[in-house]
Amino acid sequence: MRFFTILCFTVLFCNTSFALDWGKKGHRTTGAIAEQYLTKKAKKAINKLLDGQSLALVSTFADDIKSDKLYRSYGPWHYVNVPFDKTYDSHPKSEKGDLIQGIDTCIKVLKSKESSKENKAFYLKLLVHFIGDLHQPLHTGLADDKGGNDFQVQWFNEGTNLHSVWDTKMIESYGMSYTELTNEMPELSKAQYKAIIAGTHRDWLEDSRNLVKELYKQNKKGDKLSYRYMYDHFDTLKKQLQSGGIRLATLLNDVLG
Ligand code: ADE
Ligand code: ZN
Ligand code: ZN
């Protein structure tokens, strides 16, 4: 019985830790960076809604509920697939929802005077996660290969796919905790900061789509990726985490500040 319990936990743990978006580390980094850019007023409102939990802590909630049947309808909110020759607005919207519709709903609930505290807390946790996902370029990839999930590659001689390389493999290979990653983000000039916060989540989607277009061009299925890929892409990954955190704070300052 004991062995069976351990086996169940191992299977559960493996399933969740390998298949998740940005992985826990990426999401927590985005949440921790956002904390640094919140206004006093937004911080107070968030503390009240989350009963003191940090944005880093709640950033993985949307993944934690993924396997629960009750929350199945939120599954398609983690990504958005639009053909590269279309823009988000010129392409028919997915009826099941997508990352942009998901973020729209979270903002609407948070802004509404009609929403209960429980509802606001729930959608705030989702929003923290989805702004993270929006900055993982493969979450804005093509439908054909499920945002790179079916784009098989090798990572340091281990079989995986391009989506997982960006969700977790590069971050794990870097070998830092989320707090270390948060602390080593580059200093930004005023102009760089302004450029990051410009626009809305629809513009931020276009940034991610421009990135993912390049990523698809650079590799073919079966490629063996390792040090060179880290060297070429880890700064971009860091920039995505940093921009995600700063933009999340900007959005929360606007909605709750
Ligand atoms: N995760 C699961 N399905 C996906 C898709 N179609 N695009 C991006 N990420 C995904
Ligand atoms: Zn993912
Ligand atoms: Zn997600």
Side-chain angles (χ1 to χ4, degrees), residues 21 27 63 66 78 129-130 133 139:
D21 338 299
H27 281 291
D63 277 339
K66 240 180 184 175
H78 291 255
H129 181 90
F130 293 144
D133 280 349
H139 275 245

Side-chain angles (χ1 to χ4, degrees), residues 199-216:
T200 70
H201 50 293
R202 282 172 169 71
D203 303 297
W204 307 338
L205 166 64
E206 290 315 311
D207 290 347
S208 283
R209 291 183 70 228
N210 288 333
L211 260 176
V212 81
K213 269 181 221 175
E214 291 307 310
L215 298 180
Y216 274 117

Side-chain angles (χ1 to χ4, degrees), residues 46-110:
I46 290 166
N47 261 333
K48 216 167 157 185
L49 284 176
L50 299 180
D51 299 319
Q53 297 172 98
S54 70
L55 294 184
L57 186 84
V58 302
S59 67
T60 56
F61 172 74
D63 277 339
D64 298 338
I65 61 173
K66 240 180 184 175
S67 54
D68 190 327
K69 262 196 239 142
L70 254 181
Y71 301 106
R72 195 148 288 167
S73 62
Y74 298 100
W77 291 21
H78 291 255
Y79 53 88
V80 52
N81 306 124
V82 176
F84 289 152
D85 60 350
K86 296 266 172 20
T87 61
Y88 179 76
D89 284 324
S90 70
H91 187 62
K93 308 252 168 312
S94 162
E95 280 175 17
K96 291 182 180 161
D98 61 39
L99 195 40
I100 296 295
Q101 296 178 63
I103 291 170
D104 285 343
T105 304
C106 293
I107 294 172
K108 212 163 137 189
V109 173
L110 285 170

Side-chain angles (χ1 to χ4, degrees), residues 9-39:
F9 270 101
T10 309
V11 169
L12 250 176
F13 177 74
C14 287
N15 273 345
T16 46
S17 66
F18 285 118
L20 298 184
D21 338 299
W22 259 150
K24 284 186 194 296
K25 244 180 223 183
H27 281 291
R28 285 176 181 159
T29 306
T30 301
I33 292 168
E35 302 266 5
Q36 301 175 338
Y37 289 85
L38 292 173
T39 60

